[in-house]
Amino acid sequence: MWAGVNILGVTSAKSSYHHGDLRNALVQAGADLAEQGGPAAVTIRAAARAVGVTPTAAYRHFTDHAALLDAVCDLAMARLTSSMTRYLRTVTTGDDAGETAVRRLEATGRGYVSFAIAEPGLFRTAFSKATVPEPSAGTEHPFALLMKALDELVAAGSLSADDRPLAEFGAWSAVHGLAVLLVEGPLRGLRRRERDAVIQKVLDMVKHGIAGTPQAR
Amino acid sequence: MWAGVNILGVTSAKSSYHHGDLRNALVQAGADLAEQGGPAAVTIRAAARAVGVTPTAAYRHFTDHAALLDAVCDLAMARLTSSMTRYLRTVTTGDDAGETAVRRLEATGRGYVSFAIAEPGLFRTAFSKATVPEPSAGTEHPFALLMKALDELVAAGSLSADDRPLAEFGAWSAVHGLAVLLVEGPLRGLRRRERDAVIQKVLDMVKHGIAGTPQAR
DNA sequence: TGTACATCAGTGAACGCGCGTTCACTGATGTAC
DNA sequence: TGTACATCAGTGAACGCGCGTTCACTGATGTAC
């Protein structure tokens, strides 16, 4: 990945004719653009400009514009995943396995929505990949984290095995819809207090609707 | 609205120098474009082209591109609303008021998702309005229909008044997220059978999570 | 009922913009001998 | 260790595209008298 120039930690890539790590630099620049203006802002010309390189140079590393955008989408999705794992790590394992499992399910949702609010442009970009990703792809994927949380719920006895199939789509739909409505939908512009109350209500609905947890108030 | 030319039902607007109803024609053309290519396909030039008129002519009726797009968004939202009311009309009033109210809630969701699947481009367009609409605006609005359904649930005794506040956001998030995932998200490309099962599961989660209805299987 | 004239609703040409992409090229790098 | 040379990774200029928007204009409409 490091092709020599920056091997000494020297950042004077400018002085060199060869960049050394242009592909990554372009993807990073693309992510910055996506952060500001969403997927539509990710253009070959803008990314090359940000890196300080000619648009043509990008074609050494990407076959076309779609290839760059796809790479940026993957990065955005990875950031979403790491937001979820960050929230999952804050969940302490309590005495009650069922309660712990429910808290872990809730954490996946909070990590998802928090990322959407903190990085709306990247969130939108994460879901604009041209090719449809296989939902079951990789353990380090939002969907995989959700599946695991639901399986834990079954293992803890808080969700009947009969109700387990397809439950992932209920949780995912609710949390994804919440994020979309808050970030780019009619619920953008909600004040923090209202927003937090809405988030809590939606998560309660998911817990109640999936696992039969009594509704909090 | 009809400014003379078409007052006799004559469709030979082409022969006339003045169009007669250009504003509506542009909005309709914009909706057709949105149907095919989503909000990004709605351009002044393309709409004018479709109507057979110079781009400049559009500026007699819209201050700029954003004004045209906003008008198309409103039309798309109106179509979404009418899809919901169409589904609501199919719900027969049964003996059990609670059960009827639940079925009406489910109908709003089905109308919402069905429209998204049938008209993905228009669905996306409905939610790309530049200005944030007041969620409580008008009785003929998806949000208003949802609120009414939930109030009926309370009136029928199927939803406690204490749980009523903010319940609309739970239902909306779940159904909206489902629609987005199915139409432009990772769940596009699901086959009809799987898709129908997923829709049913999500609606069950909403009913269960909001009104405490036992989970169907 | 006729007519002069203001107003309305279009036309046609042009502008500048940013984009994706391609071409022939050149400087830098690394490797065979 | 030196050197010739193939290959790699960039440059610079140019193309065609569709877009939003503006300009001066002209044909059609409607109204005051």
Side-chain angles (χ1 to χ4, degrees):
Chain A
M1 188 181 288
W2 296 97
V5 169
N6 280 340
I7 209 169
L8 301 172
V10 179
T11 50
S12 60
K14 279 288 170 78
S15 66
S16 170
Y17 188 89
H18 282 15
H19 183 280
D21 194 23
L22 185 54
R23 190 195 150 87
N24 278 311
L26 287 170
V27 175
Q28 286 295 337
D32 291 346
L33 292 164
E35 215 168 301
Q36 298 299 320
V42 181
T43 66
I44 283 201
R45 295 189 94 106
R49 209 180 300 134
V51 174
V53 109
T54 288
T56 322
Y59 286 85
R60 288 279 158 194
H61 303 278
F62 302 95
T63 62
D64 57 11
H65 169 250
L68 170 61
L69 182 54
D70 263 22
V72 175
C73 291
D74 287 343
L75 179 57
M77 191 59 90
R79 298 237 184 116
L80 169 57
T81 305
S82 78
S83 173
M84 292 173 73
T85 57
R86 210 158 42 242
Y87 269 77
L88 273 172
R89 270 201 297 273
T90 68
V91 178
T92 54
T93 305
D95 294 340
D96 186 337
E99 196 190 309
T100 300
V102 170
R103 288 218 308 274
R104 287 181 62 83
L105 174 63
E106 181 166 348
T108 63
R110 289 202 176 275
Y112 199 95
V113 174
S114 299
F115 178 78
I117 292 170
E119 302 283 9
L122 281 181
F123 178 76
R124 286 166 52 204
T125 306
F127 290 94
S128 31
K129 217 179 170 190
T131 153
V132 179
E134 192 58 37
S136 58
T139 50
E140 281 302 302
H141 196 273
F143 190 76
L145 295 176
L146 172 59
M147 290 293 271
K148 187 157 169 254
L150 289 170
D151 288 344
E152 288 172 2
L153 224 46
V154 174
S158 296
L159 170 59
S160 113
D162 285 344
D163 291 334
R164 172 65 187 81
L166 302 186
E168 58 272 22
F169 296 110
W172 193 8
S173 291
V175 169
H176 188 76
L178 175 61
V180 169
L181 291 175
L182 287 175
V183 155
E184 49 175 319
L187 262 39
R188 66 184 188 274
L190 231 55
R191 278 160 305 179
R192 190 190 197 91
R193 203 178 217 96
E194 305 167 310
R195 200 181 63 193
D196 288 348
V198 167
I199 293 172
Q200 189 59 57
K201 183 77 177 181
V202 172
L203 292 175
D204 285 346
M205 181 198 74
V206 170
K207 291 189 294 187
H208 188 69
I210 283 182
T213 300
Q215 203 162 1
R217 192 152 305 144
Chain B
M1 188 181 290
W2 297 96
V5 169
N6 280 341
I7 209 169
L8 300 173
V10 178
T11 50
S12 61
K14 277 291 170 79
S15 65
S16 170
Y17 187 90
H18 282 17
H19 183 280
D21 194 23
L22 185 52
R23 191 194 149 88
N24 277 311
L26 288 169
V27 175
Q28 286 295 336
D32 290 347
L33 292 164
E35 215 167 301
Q36 297 301 318
V42 180
T43 65
I44 283 201
R45 295 189 93 107
R49 208 180 301 133
V51 174
V53 110
T54 289
T56 322
Y59 287 87
R60 288 279 158 196
H61 303 277
F62 302 95
T63 62
D64 57 11
H65 169 250
L68 170 62
L69 183 54
D70 263 21
V72 175
C73 291
D74 287 343
L75 179 57
M77 190 59 87
R79 298 236 184 118
L80 170 56
T81 305
S82 78
S83 173
M84 293 172 73
T85 56
R86 207 156 46 240
Y87 270 77
L88 273 171
R89 270 201 297 274
T90 69
V91 178
T92 53
T93 305
D95 295 340
D96 187 336
E99 197 189 307
T100 301
V102 170
R103 288 218 308 274
R104 287 182 60 83
L105 174 64
E106 181 166 347
T108 63
R110 289 203 176 273
Y112 199 94
V113 174
S114 298
F115 178 78
I117 291 170
E119 301 284 8
L122 282 181
F123 178 74
R124 285 166 54 205
T125 306
F127 290 94
S128 31
K129 216 179 171 191
T131 153
V132 179
E134 192 58 36
S136 58
T139 50
E140 279 302 301
H141 195 273
F143 190 76
L145 295 176
L146 174 59
M147 290 292 272
K148 189 159 167 254
L150 290 170
D151 288 343
E152 287 171 4
L153 225 45
V154 174
S158 295
L159 170 59
S160 112
D162 286 345
D163 291 335
R164 172 65 186 81
L166 302 186
E168 59 272 22
F169 297 109
W172 194 9
S173 291
V175 170
H176 188 76
L178 174 62
V180 169
L181 291 175
L182 287 175
V183 156
E184 50 175 317
L187 261 39
R188 66 185 188 274
L190 231 54
R191 276 160 306 178
R192 190 190 197 90
R193 204 177 215 99
E194 305 167 311
R195 200 180 62 193
D196 288 348
V198 167
I199 293 172
Q200 188 60 57
K201 183 77 177 182
V202 173
L203 292 176
D204 284 346
M205 181 199 73
V206 170
K207 291 188 293 187
H208 189 69
I210 282 183
T213 299
Q215 204 162 1
R217 190 150 310 140

